[in-house]
Amino acid sequence: MDKAKDKDKVKDFVLPRGATGFLGPGDTSPLPVTDLRTFRTALYTAARIAGGTVGEVEERSRPRSFHIGSVLDRAGETVVLCHAHHPWTAFATERRNWYDEEFLTPPPWARAFTDAGLAVLDRERLTTPLSAVDTSALTREEWRRIRLYHLTTLGGVLFNAFD
């Protein structure tokens, strides 16, 4: 695929309200919520497919914008991130409070998440520069925090710990 088509493919990713996990001043409408039970169920299915077990699962806590869990198999531990407000998942090698470019290619057992209704975001999509994503729904306050934390990628905006 050529670069122009690739850029158009990414531009169709729209960051909706709640993508940063942050509400701006005066915004009292609650953000949507991704069901933690759905994430947990998908983790157990993924572990079964991988021939492994589920590691520790942590529900989102402020200021983090995501739930975090892991699958332990013969290859080691794969960290699984689940956005707290939109049904997006990603994979990493280590547990952190925020990510920018530290994402993995989804493992073969990632289909357990799509089967559960959660979108699996691949490394290429997550490391896309913000300039190639539709950010028109982000507020001025969200942009202030993005600049404050020097976030430059889609994944950095989605899986963060704004305080």
Side-chain angles (χ1 to χ4, degrees):
M1 185 182 296
D2 67 33
K3 288 196 185 267
K5 285 183 184 175
D6 206 30
K7 184 177 179 183
D8 288 341
K9 177 183 159 200
V10 174
K11 225 7 172 171
D12 68 4
F13 194 95
V14 178
L15 286 175
R17 181 178 177 277
T20 65
F22 183 77
L23 288 172
D27 190 351
T28 57
S29 301
L31 293 175
V33 176
T34 302
D35 183 26
L36 183 61
R37 286 182 315 188
T38 300
F39 176 55
R40 258 186 221 277
T41 300
L43 274 171
Y44 279 93
T45 302
R48 196 169 43 258
I49 293 168
T53 60
V54 172
E56 184 181 358
V57 179
E58 298 173 47
E59 185 173 4
R60 174 206 184 251
S61 60
R62 293 248 351 116
R64 206 173 59 213
S65 65
F66 54 94
H67 309 299
I68 191 166
S70 64
V71 171
L72 307 160
D73 62 11
R74 283 183 226 103
E77 180 180 36
T78 301
V79 174
V80 185
L81 314 173
C82 179
H83 197 276
H85 304 291
H86 294 283
W88 300 316
T89 57
F91 303 88
T93 57
E94 65 179 322
R95 289 174 182 265
R96 302 176 57 156
N97 282 330
W98 58 270
Y99 296 82
D100 192 31
E101 294 189 6
E102 303 80 13
F103 300 100
L104 296 174
T105 299
W109 43 260
R111 68 183 161 84
F113 297 93
T114 55
D115 291 348
L118 300 169
V120 172
L121 301 179
D122 63 20
R123 184 177 193 293
E124 180 183 2
R125 168 100 19 163
L126 290 162
T127 57
T128 299
L130 284 178
S131 61
V133 176
D134 182 347
T135 58
S136 59
L138 297 182
T139 67
R140 183 181 333 209
E141 184 61 24
E142 288 172 303
W143 273 111
R144 187 182 76 73
R145 290 177 188 265
I146 288 168
R147 286 190 286 279
L148 178 69
Y149 288 92
H150 308 288
L151 299 176
T152 60
T153 66
L154 173 62
V157 168
L158 299 180
F159 299 101
N160 69 69
F162 290 162
D163 56 7

